[in-house]
Amino acid sequence: MQRVGIIGGGWAGMACAVEAVRAGHAVSVFEAARNWGGRARAVAATLPDGNEVLLDNGQHILIGAYTASLDMMARVGVDPHEALQRVPLNLRFADGTGLSLPLLPPWLDRATRRIAPLDVLAGVLGARGWSWQDKLSLLKTSTLWQRQGFVCADHMTVADLCVSLTPRVRAELTEPLCVSALNTPAAQASGKVFLRVLDEALFRTPGGSQLLLPRFDLGALFPDAADRWLRDRGARTELGRRVRSVEPAGQGWRVDGETFDRVVLACSPWEAARISADIAPTWSATADALAHEAITTVYLHGDAALPAPFLALRSTSEAPAQFAFDRGQLGGPRGLFAFVISASGDDRELLQRQVMAQAREQLGLDGLQPVLTVIERRATFACTPGLVRPPIQVAPQLTACGDYIDGAYPGTIEGAVRSAIAAAAAL
Ligand SMILES: Cc1cc2nc3c(=O)[nH]c(=O)nc-3n(C[C@H](O)[C@H](O)[C@H](O)COP(=O)(O)OP(=O)(O)OC[C@H]3O[C@@H](n4cnc5c(N)ncnc54)[C@H](O)[C@@H]3O)c2cc1C
């Protein structure tokens, strides 16, 4: 049994702690904030009628391909079927145009997925408002991507990959998919990572492209349940404990004076860079060099409902939100909406005003009142071509995990959880 210190209680830190406890280690988790979950956490807010409500620091979506995250939730006692509403990938706009994938019977999905995803084929052929030219351009281009094994040159952007698609397919499919999955605009986003996500979501996992919309707040979805699971098994978990330093101590490490055999940096890349600056300067510089993109969530309230729990929006620089969620249909109070702006600017007043106008114009939602606007300025790393991400190993007996660690996924919950499982395996 090793004494393991884990610095950070986001999804990566908590998942790593769960795996380390399962492997029989004595685990301590230190989290600087007053609650668990990091960039995917619950926040308290007040509705216009004075009622208290638990929201999220940002509306999140999981997808069916997030198998590691779903397994991890189940491991700590959260039933993913109860906690998440599974809907087919639907990029339909309020006027009914756009692409929506049908839900296949699971046996048909399993039998055909690796050869040709029938849901994608049916969705493309049935896309409303698309010409035959639009549909053919997508079928031809995606067949080519499949034949090339969903890989491309390191330097290619998503915009480069999509040049042969018609402007409508780019505007209504690849650009919104790219900005929501990679949180980076298509002109700057890594083509290689985009193809990998498409491959996982469309070809490798039955139901992989289905959207999983949280019915619980993000704390209840995993980190709070993980905290209970860990404490029940004798792990030590401390909130409000910002780790200042990690120093060598014989074969192990001293964390603010306390000795551990193994330490895992599960904090944000900039904090991991600060802590490791003297221990592993090259690793630290790589983590520090990452650029970041913002995500803004605008919560509004009014006496209305959307035709579906989730709708795509036509996004421009004046109407910046890409997606709208009706939280009333997702276990929240009726009339509560979340509007998501990936790769957003950071002028709170302007974004809120613009989104209220967008909700009026595109969804006919009049008289909405602001509840909360959360701008997460460093929501994820900018997922650009040829990006060098730091590896799991920082120094002997010192590892790191988090969504920014080198791996198949962009800055997502699944990337964080997968890196955590790998870091725990390396203990
Ligand atoms: C607004 C928003 C929307 C998003 N939408 C999606 C989505 O729809 N789907 C999706 O998959 N992903 C989404 N993401 C990304 C996802 O939230 C992240 O990829 C994931 O939460 C990263 O988890 P992590 O554990 O790697 O890092 P973090 O969550 O950043 O965890 C690091 C933790 O370390 C703590 N910490 C930092 N320094 C110290 C220290 N010195 N001592 C102790 N603790 C410290 C921090 O407080 C934090 O809790 C979104 C992110 C944001 C912000």
Side-chain angles (χ1 to χ4, degrees), residues 96-152:
T97 61
L99 178 121
S100 170
L101 304 194
L103 211 49
L104 294 182
W107 66 267
L108 183 60
D109 194 17
R110 269 194 302 276
T112 56
R113 173 76 35 198
R114 295 304 296 270
I115 312 156
L118 294 182
D119 51 351
V120 179
L121 199 62
V124 173
L125 294 176
R128 292 199 197 136
W130 287 21
S131 67
W132 277 106
Q133 205 187 358
D134 295 324
K135 295 176 186 180
L136 277 177
S137 83
L138 180 55
L139 289 175
K140 264 170 47 190
T141 307
S142 55
T143 307
L144 183 71
W145 291 342
Q146 189 191 8
R147 269 212 227 104
Q148 292 170 344
F150 285 98
V151 285
C152 69

Side-chain angles (χ1 to χ4, degrees), residues 87-93 98-101 209 211 308 310-312 323:
V87 296
L89 178 66
N90 183 346
L91 292 175
R92 287 249 165 92
F93 299 94
L99 178 121
S100 170
L101 304 194
S209 66
L211 305 179
F310 165 84
L311 276 182
F323 297 106

Side-chain angles (χ1 to χ4, degrees), residues 6-14 30-33 35-40 57-62 66 180 241-244 266-272 274-275 295-297 340 374 376 378-380 401-404 410-417 419:
I6 297 178
I7 302 170
W11 282 59
M14 297 311 260
F30 305 114
E31 165 54 49
N35 49 21
W36 303 106
R39 278 172 284 149
N57 67 312
Q59 174 69 49
H60 278 57
I61 307 183
L62 288 74
Y66 282 14
S180 59
R241 177 74 200 277
R242 178 171 186 261
V243 168
R244 285 169 209 292
C267 41
S268 44
W270 51 94
E271 270 292 284
R274 178 187 69 76
I275 290 172
I295 301 181
T296 298
T297 306
V340 175
V374 189
E376 287 276 0
R378 292 190 280 190
T380 67
C401 61
D403 61 351
Y404 68 96
T412 52
I413 281 179
E414 182 71 2
V417 171
S419 82

